[in-house]
Every structure is written in structure tokens, then in C-alpha cells.
Amino acid sequence: MSQIFFHTGLSKTGSTFLQQQIFPKLGHIYYLPTKKYRRALDVIPGITADKILISREFDQQFEREIISFSKAYPAAFPIIVFREPGSWAVSNYKRFVKNGHHFSFTEFIDIQGDKGHFKIQDFSYSRYIQLLEKHFEQPPLILIYDDLKKNPHQFLNKIGKYLDIPLEFQTFNLTPSHVSYDENALKLVRKLSSKIQFQKKLEVHRKPKGFLYNLYANIIRYSILYSSKILPEFLFPKEELISAQEVEAVSKFFADEWNFVKEKASKF
């Protein structure tokens, strides 16, 4: 039987970079890209390669997907990347604003009342690791996003060692796949989305009306994002997108979780 390696994300931790620039260019392993994940359980039995790598990032679907996949392949080798909690919250919040949501940062992650879009449980990094350790027979490879930014060769070498394959760095493009949008652009999107509906809706995109709605929403959102580069400064909202104090509060609240991750990651 093939050895199966399962990269489980999380989102905003370099997943797109790995899925586009690294995994497809690995030799000695069959890569099943994220767009084929939904059919992975049907496709894998027909693959004859000695090693198979599947990649799909999860957030709030994590537990459901891990249980589902591990029932079929409990001997798979899981891979997960974590990001410092404050930084992870900021990056995910910017993604939600870009997609047309107009709630504030503290409404996105509410560490006091836990009424935000992302819940306190979503930042329970130890829970993600324990789920992987419980449902898979192999210990997970635990990586840190900042290490990818600071020393991509070292970060990728850990993946190569875990996969037990040689890496050919000359075939990799180490340029980041996604670059954050300007904060002024995001502030303008947030302000206008409170007055005009152009929120991206993933749950309806497969239906004809949903496709047409998302096409309309994308035209509005990206028109704002790209035109913001030439708009005069006075048109942008004056309030901060996120305050440094808000980010620091999230980092402090989840400090124990982050220390837990760093200790686990240090063993690889």
C-alpha cells in the first residue's frame, strides 16, 4: 500500500504557497491537489505510487474532515502549519473584510464573550494537534509559519525529511503566492460593504444564481480593491482597520496555546 501524507492547513499559514509552488514540483511522490480533495477517498485507491501527498487547508471544518479522512486512512502522516495567534487573527480578518464582511476585528474574534465569527475554540491549537494524534497512527509534522518566512529552505527541508524524499530547490519558486491588500483598500471595502451587499458567498457558488451573485460581488470587491491605488487619501475612512492593542490582546489570550505549539514544533 502507498504511504499517504495529509497536509491539513490551517488557512493563512502558507497553504497556497505550498500548494502552488512546492507540492506540485516535488519528485518521488504523487501529489493530489486541493481541488481534488473532495474526491480523494475515491481517487486514492486507484493511485499506484509508493507515496501520495494530499493537501487541503481547514479551519472550522477541521474536526469533521480529520475524522472522515482518518477513518479511511488512519496510517496517513499528517502535516499542519500554525501561525502566531495575533498574526493569524489579523490575516484571517483581512480575508473576511476583502470578501465583503463589514464587522469589526473584535466582532471577528471576541475573546471576552466568545460571540465572534471565529470562536475561541478555533484558536485552540492544542486541540488541533490532539485531534491529529488521536485519529492518526503517525505523529503529525508540526510547522510554524514564521519559519517559512524567515528560512524557507529549513522549513521545506523538514517537510522533505518527513516525506522521506530529496528536495530539488532549483525547481521551486520561493516568491509568496499571496500578498496582503493595502489597509486603506480594506477599510474602504469594509465601509462600503456596510451599505452595499457584495459579500462573497461560498455556499451558493455552485448554483446558477449563486454563481451570478458571486460574479457581481467579485466585480464590486475587486473594483474597489484595485481602484483604491489611485483614489485620493480623503476618500478613505480615518479609523484603524485593526488596532495594535486588539492584536496584542489576542496574542496574550492565546499565549499558552502558542507556547504549546512551539514546544511541539521544536521536536522536528
Side-chain angles (χ1 to χ4, degrees):
M1 294 182 64
S2 303
Q3 279 188 316
I4 296 174
F5 298 86
F6 187 23
H7 169 242
T8 65
L10 303 167
S11 68
K12 311 307 291 184
T13 59
S15 295
T16 301
F17 167 75
L18 292 172
Q19 291 161 354
Q20 293 183 357
Q21 308 293 0
I22 305 301
F23 293 159
K25 299 174 184 177
L26 293 174
H28 313 284
I29 194 165
Y30 185 100
Y31 174 52
L32 197 67
T34 184
K35 65 182 180 180
K36 294 185 178 181
Y37 172 75
R38 290 182 182 275
R39 297 186 59 246
L41 297 182
D42 298 323
V43 172
I44 288 172
I47 300 173
T48 59
D50 292 336
K51 296 176 185 284
I52 302 170
L53 172 61
I54 298 102
S55 179
R56 176 73 178 190
E57 66 274 15
F58 306 114
D59 291 319
Q60 293 167 318
Q61 323 95 319
F62 191 91
E63 182 171 3
R64 181 190 70 216
E65 296 294 340
I66 292 307
I67 291 173
S68 173
F69 192 90
S70 64
K71 282 182 179 179
Y73 295 103
F77 294 74
I79 301 168
I80 189 167
V81 185
F82 291 99
R83 186 169 180 169
E84 190 280 321
S87 173
W88 194 56
V90 168
S91 189
N92 274 292
Y93 176 65
K94 287 181 176 180
R95 171 167 61 99
F96 273 71
V97 171
K98 186 205 80 169
N99 286 339
H101 297 272
H102 60 266
F103 42 69
S104 67
F105 183 69
T106 51
E107 289 171 325
F108 173 72
I109 169 64
D110 173 19
I111 58 176
Q112 301 302 323
D114 200 20
K115 296 179 180 178
H117 184 84
F118 264 40
K119 303 299 182 184
I120 288 174
Q121 178 179 263
D122 297 324
F123 285 77
S124 179
Y125 292 169
S126 57
R127 171 178 162 269
Y128 294 118
I129 294 172
Q130 288 160 4
L131 281 168
L132 294 176
E133 292 175 338
K134 176 182 177 181
H135 292 286
F136 290 104
E137 298 167 5
Q138 306 296 337
L141 172 62
I142 299 166
L143 300 166
I144 292 177
Y145 173 75
D146 277 349
D147 292 340
L148 172 60
K149 294 179 66 177
K150 294 175 183 176
N151 192 335
H153 284 74
Q154 186 178 67
F155 179 95
L156 295 173
N157 272 326
K158 289 182 180 180
I159 294 178
K161 184 177 179 180
Y162 190 69
L163 301 178
D164 193 24
I165 61 172
L167 301 184
E168 299 177 0
F169 281 93
Q170 68 273 16
T171 66
F172 301 150
N173 178 1
L174 300 183
T175 304
S177 297
H178 282 171
V179 179
S180 296
Y181 288 97
D182 179 80
E183 287 208 4
N184 269 344
L186 293 174
K187 287 193 294 183
L188 189 58
V189 168
R190 186 174 66 177
K191 179 180 179 180
L192 293 176
S193 66
S194 66
K195 304 178 185 300
I196 309 168
Q197 184 179 359
F198 51 84
Q199 179 189 117
K200 184 178 181 180
K201 296 182 179 181
L202 293 177
E203 69 278 8
V204 300
H205 79 285
R206 293 180 182 274
K207 301 175 182 179
K209 288 185 178 179
F211 172 80
L212 291 173
Y213 167 80
N214 277 337
L215 179 61
Y216 146 80
N218 285 339
I219 291 172
I220 299 295
R221 289 187 303 109
Y222 286 106
S223 294
I224 298 168
L225 288 166
Y226 290 119
S227 66
S228 66
K229 297 177 182 179
I230 59 173
L231 292 176
E233 188 70 23
F234 72 87
L235 291 177
F236 296 104
K238 302 303 179 188
E239 73 272 9
E240 292 180 294
L241 185 71
I242 312 164
S243 73
Q245 292 78 11
E246 290 172 330
V247 179
E248 185 179 2
V250 171
S251 294
K252 286 184 176 180
F253 191 86
F254 296 109
D256 289 343
E257 292 290 335
W258 186 231
N259 288 332
F260 179 84
V261 166
K262 289 191 290 185
E263 181 180 353
K264 284 278 190 177
S266 67
K267 297 176 182 179
F268 292 93

